[in-house]
Structures are given as structure tokens and as C-alpha cells.
């Protein structure tokens, strides 16, 4: 049986006190999430279920692309593509949202090409649209995605001449499109959304970082790190955050963290919210036991 007390889950009934303590092992810890509550529901719930207090400092805002022209042209010739590659849930939601609008006006015909969804969150977003996923690479790095695609297609020779559509943000990295192009593929990487730095009051977070009352910070994309540094006017984040633990959801995000001076970064083997929370919880509890 479960209930709520002071906004946190409490448990009673058949659970033992030991089980309860294990579940509540982050009691008294404060976690800073650098995405908006609307975009971080799962990770927030997971931390709160462990007893942590969660605060948010949204560092990115998702907005429409500067122009829909490239996406609309791709939608009009959707039947010419062999593969549709999604690198983030935002790309999925933006692209399918635009597709739905255009289809309603009769501008799109034919079935979707094969779909590659990179990462479990992206795969979940695709599944929510009702579309079928053909491959979800086990790695999120461009090299791993490229290997998985080549294997699925049947070898490098068969990639030549295939057409790939990659909806993405305006700041996406070029490794995957470039890698496909080197194998002879025809790649259309189109801007389906933009990430911008929002206007937000950072002083409460800055004060708590100075006080040392924020125990951990999560970053889920390079943009969250870049904008966090920009919002707080910090070139070296190590000086700003002090002893707070840093968790990054994947290698690209961890690499961006290191570029901003963060050398000790928690990065789970699986690139999803539950793995990140568990890895950070273990590290925080380890710190507690050492003191």
C-alpha cells in the first residue's frame, strides 16, 4: 500500500523497514534537474521515489525550426527515402507533429520508410506515434549507430545509394550523416526543431550552489550543459558547482561536461533515466558511507 506525505511517496503494509530505507536512501538529498518539469517527468519521479528533493532549472526550450521548408520538402517525397533516423524524442515529436498537420491537408502519401530510433527514450517516442521501429542500436554514439545500421542493411556495399532522412535540431552533430555519406548514402539532415536558452531566474540555484545545498546535478544533452554554463555565466563549471555530483545520460553529454571543466562525471552503461538515477544514487550513498 502506498501514499503521499509532504509530496514524497511513503509505503506501508508488507514492506519491511529495511526495504523502506532502501527505497528512501536519498532522503535529505537535493537533485537539480536541468530540463523543464514537462520534459523530465520520469527522472523526477525516480529521484523522488528514492526520497530526494528535486528542483528544476530549465536550461533548454524547444521551439519550431527557423523554417519548415526543408521538413515539408522531405515530407512531400517521403516515398523516396529508405530510412528515417531519429536521434531524440524531440525530433520524433516535432517531425510527426508536422507530418500530421501536412497529411491532414493531403500533402503526404505513401508508407513510412524503415525507422532507426537511437536510444530508449527516442524509441518510446516513436512507439507512441504508432509507427514501427526497425532498429534501435544498442549504442548511442555515432560509430555504434553506423555499425548497427550497416549490419541491419547487410553490409557497407548495400548502403551505397540508399536515401536517409535525419530530422534533428539546429545544433546536432554531423558524425552520423557524414559517416553515412562516406559509405555512399544520400543523406538529408533537416532541422525539425531548435533548442534555445530560455529566460529564467538563476539566482536561487546560484545561491544554493554556493551554500552547497545541491548534492547532484543531471545533464541529459550537450545543450543542457552549454546553456547551464551560459545562464550562470560560468566558463568553468567545476568552480561553480563545487562538490555536487554530476550525472550525464550518455557519452556525448559527458564529453560536453568535460569541456566545461567537469572531470568526475557519473555516466551509466545504459543511456536512460532509470540507469542514470540508479548510478547517481549508488554514488551518493557511497559518499555518505565514506564520511
Amino acid at each position: 500500500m502506498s501514499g503521499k506525505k509532504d509530496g514524497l511517496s511513503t509505503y506501508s503494509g508488507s514492506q519491511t523497514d529495511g526495504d523502506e530505507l532502501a527505497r528512501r536512501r536519498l532522503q535529505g538529498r537535493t537533485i537539480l534537474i536541468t530540463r523543464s518539469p514537462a520534459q523530465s517527468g520520469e527522472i523526477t519521479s525516480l529521484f523522488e521515489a528514492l526520497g530526494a528533493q528535486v528542483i528544476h532549472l530549465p536550461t533548454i526550450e524547444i521551439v519550431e525550426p527557423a523554417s519548415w521548408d526543408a521538413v515539408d520538402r522531405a515530407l512531400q517525397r517521403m516515398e523516396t527515402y529508405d530510412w528515417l533516423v531519429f536521434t531524440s524524442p524531440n525530433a520524433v515529436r516535432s517531425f510527426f507533429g508536422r507530418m500530421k498537420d501536412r497529411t491532414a491537408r493531403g500533402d503526404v502519401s505513401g508508407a513510412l520508410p524503415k525507422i532507426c530510433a537511437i536510444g530508449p527514450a527516442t524509441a518510446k517516442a516513436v512507439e507512441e506515434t504508432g509507427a514501427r521501429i526497425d532498429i534501435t542500436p544498442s549504442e548511442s554514439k555515432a560509430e555504434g549507430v553506423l555499425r548497427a545500421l550497416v549490419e541491419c542493411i547487410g553490409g557497407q556495399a548495400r548502403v551505397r545509394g540508399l536515401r536517409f532522412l535525419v530530422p534533428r535540431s539546429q545544433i546536432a552533430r554531423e558524425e552520423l550523416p557524414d559517416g553515412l555519406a562516406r559509405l555512399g548514402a544520400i543523406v538529408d539532415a533537416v532541422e525539425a526543431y531548435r533548442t534555445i536558452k530560455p529566460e529564467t531566474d538563476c539566482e536561487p540555484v546560484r545561491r544554493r550552489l554556493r551554500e552547497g545545498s545541491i548534492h547532484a546535478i543531471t545533464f541529459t544533452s550537450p545543450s543542457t550543459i552549454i546553456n547551464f554554463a551560459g545562464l550562470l555565466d560560468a566558463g568553468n563549471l567545476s568552480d561553480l558547482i563545487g562538490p555536487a555530483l554530476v550525472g550525464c545520460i550518455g557519452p556525448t553529454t559527458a564529453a560536453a561536461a568535460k569541456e566545461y571543466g567537469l572531470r568526475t562525471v557519473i555516466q551509466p552503461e545504459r543511456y536512460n533515466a532509470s540507469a542514470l538515477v540508479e548510478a547517481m544514487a549508488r554514488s551518493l550513498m557511497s559518499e555518505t558511507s565514506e564520511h
Side-chain angles (χ1 to χ4, degrees), residues 77-148:
R77 56 174 185 266
M78 182 63 71
E79 69 279 0
T80 69
Y81 291 105
D82 299 288
W83 282 89
L84 180 55
V85 181
F86 290 109
T87 59
S88 74
N90 288 321
V92 174
R93 287 188 279 267
S94 181
F95 183 81
F96 275 100
R98 185 65 174 178
M99 174 181 277
K100 184 178 179 181
D101 291 342
R102 300 297 287 174
T103 301
R105 295 200 296 270
D107 294 333
V108 178
S109 62
L112 288 169
K114 292 181 179 180
I115 293 179
C116 171
I118 301 174
T122 304
K124 181 179 179 182
V126 173
E127 289 167 353
E128 288 172 351
T129 72
R132 185 175 70 88
I133 299 170
D134 293 273
I135 181 174
T136 303
S138 58
E139 292 184 53
S140 293
K141 283 186 176 181
E143 313 90 83
V145 173
L146 193 58
R147 280 196 301 272

Side-chain angles (χ1 to χ4, degrees), residues 272-286:
N272 58 49
S274 60
L276 179 63
V277 170
E278 183 56 35
M280 294 182 71
R282 286 198 304 268
S283 185
L284 286 167
M285 291 304 297
S286 175

Side-chain angles (χ1 to χ4, degrees), residues 13 51 62 67 85 115-116 120 126 158-159 161 165 244 267 277:
I62 306 301
S67 169
V85 181
I115 293 179
C116 171
V126 173
R158 295 193 175 186
V159 176
L165 177 60
Q267 179 192 318
V277 170

Side-chain angles (χ1 to χ4, degrees), residues 150-167:
V150 168
E151 182 178 348
C152 180
I153 291 167
Q156 292 187 7
R158 295 193 175 186
V159 176
R160 180 170 297 278
L162 295 182
R163 296 185 64 94
F164 289 78
L165 177 60
V166 187

Side-chain angles (χ1 to χ4, degrees), residues 219-242:
F219 294 107
T220 53
S221 69
S223 295
T224 59
I225 295 171
I226 294 166
N227 290 355
F228 181 77
L231 286 166
L232 291 160
D233 193 25
N236 188 314
L237 291 177
S238 181
D239 295 336
L240 174 69
I241 70 169

Side-chain angles (χ1 to χ4, degrees), residues 6-17:
D6 297 330
L8 302 172
S9 300
T10 57
Y11 298 81
S12 60
S14 61
Q15 287 85 3
T16 66
D17 290 343

Side-chain angles (χ1 to χ4, degrees), residues 236-269:
N236 188 314
L237 291 177
S238 181
D239 295 336
L240 174 69
I241 70 169
L245 178 72
V246 172
C248 293
I249 208 164
T252 305
T253 306
K258 291 177 181 178
E259 289 176 7
Y260 280 85
L262 300 174
R263 300 301 169 199
T264 305
V265 174
I266 299 297
Q267 179 192 318
E269 292 184 4

